[in-house]
């Protein structure tokens, strides 16, 4: 039989991302298409405003990622609806304060993933390619070929849970894979 769905709120807005805090599973975080974040501390029964990232309402909060090994550390990836702009933000105090991670300033970040086997490794997908940090966001490196005709307009990224050198990237029309941390990439579109 069909499963019945229940609206949890908050009312209004475009819900772009949902994530739960692995250290407090009852805490659910929601990102909107207007730069806002909301939190529920009771499994979605009630919601309150949590944070506003960037200036104005132009940022889309598309990805919320928690560090599973360190309580209170979370990352948020955003992009702008008005121009090719964006950021990755990090909080080390459960969202009370936020820091823009310099190496991703101005990038239209459409995807973000954290390596389960090494939480200092994050991969971000942007309009101009795939970026990686090995030091929790202090520095970033483009790991896809610069100006590549196909490995751009990244909409999704994933990291192998056992080997952070294996990374998958989904573009607007094709999936790609690297098994060596970006030294080489292969199309994995067969069968699609």
């Amino acid at each position: 039989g069909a499963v019945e769905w229940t609206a949890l709120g908050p009312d209004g807005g475009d819900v772009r991302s949902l994530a739960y805090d692995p250290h407090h599973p009852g805490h659910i975080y929601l990102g909107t298409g207007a730069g806002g974040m909301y939190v529920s501390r009771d499994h979605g029964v009630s919601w309150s405003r949590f944070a506003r990232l960037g200036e104005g309402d132009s940022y889309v909060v598309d990805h919320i990622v928690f560090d599973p090994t360190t309580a209170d550390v979370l990352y948020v990836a955003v992009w702008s609806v008005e121009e090719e702009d964006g950021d990755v933000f990090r909080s080390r105090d459960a969202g009370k304060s936020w820091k823009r991670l310099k190496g991703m300033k101005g990038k239209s970040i459409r995807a973000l993933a954290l390596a389960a086997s090494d939480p200092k490794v994050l991969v971000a997908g942007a309009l101009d390619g795939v970026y990686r940090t090995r030091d929790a966001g202090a520095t970033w490196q483009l790991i896809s070929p610069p100006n590549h005709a196909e490995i751009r307009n990244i909409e999704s990224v994933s990291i192998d849970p056992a080997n952070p050198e294996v990374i998958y990237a989904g573009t607007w029309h094709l999936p790609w894979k690297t098994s060596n941390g970006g030294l080489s990439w292969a199309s994995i579109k067969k069968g699609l």
Side-chain angles (χ1 to χ4, degrees):
V3 175
E4 197 168 309
W5 287 79
T6 303
L8 293 177
D11 293 330
D14 176 11
V15 178
R16 297 293 302 198
S17 54
L18 285 166
Y20 80 95
D21 181 345
H23 305 282
H24 306 96
H27 297 184
I28 304 169
Y29 294 77
L30 179 151
T32 72
M37 289 180 66
Y38 292 82
V39 64
S40 172
R41 300 191 190 287
D42 55 12
H43 301 275
V45 174
S46 61
W47 294 88
S48 60
R49 289 184 188 265
F50 178 66
R52 173 155 302 284
L53 300 172
E55 296 77 35
D57 295 333
S58 70
Y59 272 161
V60 175
V61 181
D62 248 356
H63 295 276
I64 304 166
V65 178
F66 285 86
D67 182 332
T69 63
T70 307
D72 301 333
V73 175
L74 64 152
Y75 300 86
V76 174
V78 300
W79 57 276
S80 173
V81 295
E82 296 175 0
E83 56 189 292
E84 287 189 15
D85 190 19
D87 280 295
V88 175
F89 291 88
R90 179 183 61 218
S91 176
R92 293 181 186 231
D93 56 11
K96 294 182 184 89
S97 63
W98 295 89
K99 177 183 179 181
R100 278 186 167 101
L101 301 180
K102 293 181 189 176
M104 297 309 288
K105 174 70 180 138
K107 300 289 181 191
S108 186
I109 311 300
R110 304 301 177 102
L112 186 67
L114 184 141
S117 59
D118 184 351
K120 290 184 179 183
V121 175
L122 287 97
V123 172
L127 293 182
D128 63 341
V130 180
Y131 292 81
R132 178 183 54 203
T133 178
R134 293 180 185 268
D135 52 18
T139 59
W140 293 83
Q141 174 188 14
L142 178 67
I143 62 169
S144 59
N147 304 311
H148 194 276
E150 298 291 339
I151 307 176
R152 58 186 175 83
N153 299 322
I154 309 301
E155 283 292 323
S156 57
V157 292
S158 183
I159 305 170
D160 184 289
N163 181 357
E165 296 296 303
V166 177
I167 300 163
Y168 299 87
T171 71
W172 288 352
H173 54 89
L174 294 171
W176 292 83
K177 176 183 178 180
T178 177
S179 296
N180 53 18
L183 294 176
S184 61
W185 289 82
S187 171
I188 55 172
K189 66 180 182 178
K190 185 176 179 181
L192 295 179

